[in-house]
Amino acid sequence: MNNRSQRRASIPGIFIDQIEYLLILATPIEIILLGMSLNSAATVHTPNGYAHPAGELTLYVTQMSVPSDNVSMTSIIGTDSGRIFMCGNDGHLYELLYQAEEGWFTRKCRKQNHTSTPYSRLMPTFLKLSQEDPISAIALDDSRNVLYALSNKSNIEVIYLGSDGEQFSKIERNTEIAKLAQNLTPTSPLLDSRNFQIVSIHPVLSTESRTIHLVAVTSSGM
């Protein structure tokens, strides 16, 4: 059974003050939010004389969970503002939403599909068709509030989360990455469009580069 976890800071004002982070446990059955705090007041000395901070890890039951609907989350990413994004093995991009109290029409914890159509949301899970170009990976650049989504066809979509990190705007989708790469290095035998495949994406923080925002690694290593 697939079980993914991610630790990230929580949205302020929802949990008790002791909770500093959230631990997300995801199985094909359920997604569970656990609170977490770390008391790092202690110091541990290693045999070679080095001192390392150590502390007590405490987990809190938040009573927040949501069904996974038989979808395994292949990756989970949290933002500095406490938002949680998940990539499912069904090729969709989800956001895990949580709030302090139940609303009239909303639960305390629920997941939102950012890539499905309004019609597909009304269909039962067993009738839903797979994505035409499913998302295979997501990556976050917290320094620019940008979320990247990589598809099985090596397309990359850029999603801007806004200056406050609370928005969700799809601003660009590049579907000609292989062609652009070939134009830059036309003599390279490693950039054959017939077997071009991006296997991973890695954001470059603004503190590391002002011009380079993302590095994409292909199956050939470039």
Side-chain angles (χ1 to χ4, degrees):
M1 179 174 63
N2 184 27
N3 190 320
R4 305 284 298 185
S5 65
Q6 172 74 24
R7 186 193 72 174
R8 200 68 182 187
S10 62
I11 297 176
I14 295 182
F15 304 103
I16 60 176
D17 294 339
Q18 288 86 344
I19 293 180
E20 302 172 271
Y21 301 95
L22 289 179
L23 181 66
I24 314 301
L25 302 179
T27 75
I29 306 299
E30 190 177 25
I31 302 170
I32 303 170
L33 279 75
L34 295 176
M36 188 169 66
S37 66
L38 177 64
N39 180 3
S40 57
T43 301
V44 174
H45 294 274
T46 61
N48 56 8
Y50 290 99
H52 297 280
E56 180 181 352
L57 180 66
T58 304
L59 296 179
Y60 299 86
V61 177
T62 65
Q63 303 295 337
M64 288 189 179
S65 64
V66 63
S68 299
D69 297 324
N70 293 321
V71 176
S72 296
M73 300 302 167
T74 57
S75 60
I76 304 173
I77 291 178
T79 71
D80 284 343
S81 61
R83 297 177 72 179
I84 302 168
F85 294 98
M86 306 177 294
C87 178
N89 66 347
D90 59 350
H92 285 289
L93 171 62
Y94 296 89
E95 182 174 359
L96 190 62
L97 304 173
Y98 56 98
Q99 58 194 44
E101 302 292 341
E102 299 275 357
W104 283 102
F105 303 103
T106 57
R107 299 179 55 190
K108 290 174 61 176
C109 183
R110 63 194 187 278
K111 68 179 190 297
Q112 178 180 353
N113 190 328
H114 281 293
T115 49
S116 67
T117 63
Y119 299 104
S120 65
R121 295 172 189 171
L122 302 176
M123 297 175 61
T125 303
F126 66 91
L127 291 178
K128 292 182 180 179
L129 301 176
S130 60
Q131 282 274 76
E132 181 179 348
D133 186 18
I135 294 174
S136 58
I138 55 176
L140 176 70
D141 181 352
D142 250 329
S143 66
R144 299 183 178 93
N145 288 340
V146 172
L147 182 69
Y148 297 96
L150 171 66
S151 75
N152 278 356
K153 295 182 180 179
S154 294
N155 299 321
I156 296 178
E157 187 162 22
V158 182
I159 302 162
Y160 182 52
L161 302 180
S163 58
D164 58 356
E166 300 301 325
Q167 303 174 39
F168 190 93
S169 301
K170 299 178 181 180
I171 59 175
E172 181 67 29
R173 180 179 174 85
N174 197 321
T175 60
E176 297 184 345
I177 298 176
K179 182 179 179 180
L180 293 173
Q182 284 180 325
N183 291 339
L184 292 174
T185 55
T187 59
S188 174
L190 300 177
L191 292 174
D192 188 343
S193 59
R194 293 170 297 182
N195 53 24
F196 181 86
Q197 181 69 40
I198 297 177
V199 295
S200 63
I201 51 177
H202 307 274
V204 179
L205 301 182
S206 59
T207 54
E208 299 172 339
S209 175
R210 294 184 178 181
T211 56
I212 300 175
H213 292 200
L214 186 73
V215 173
V217 180
T218 70
S219 56
S220 62
M222 294 192 66

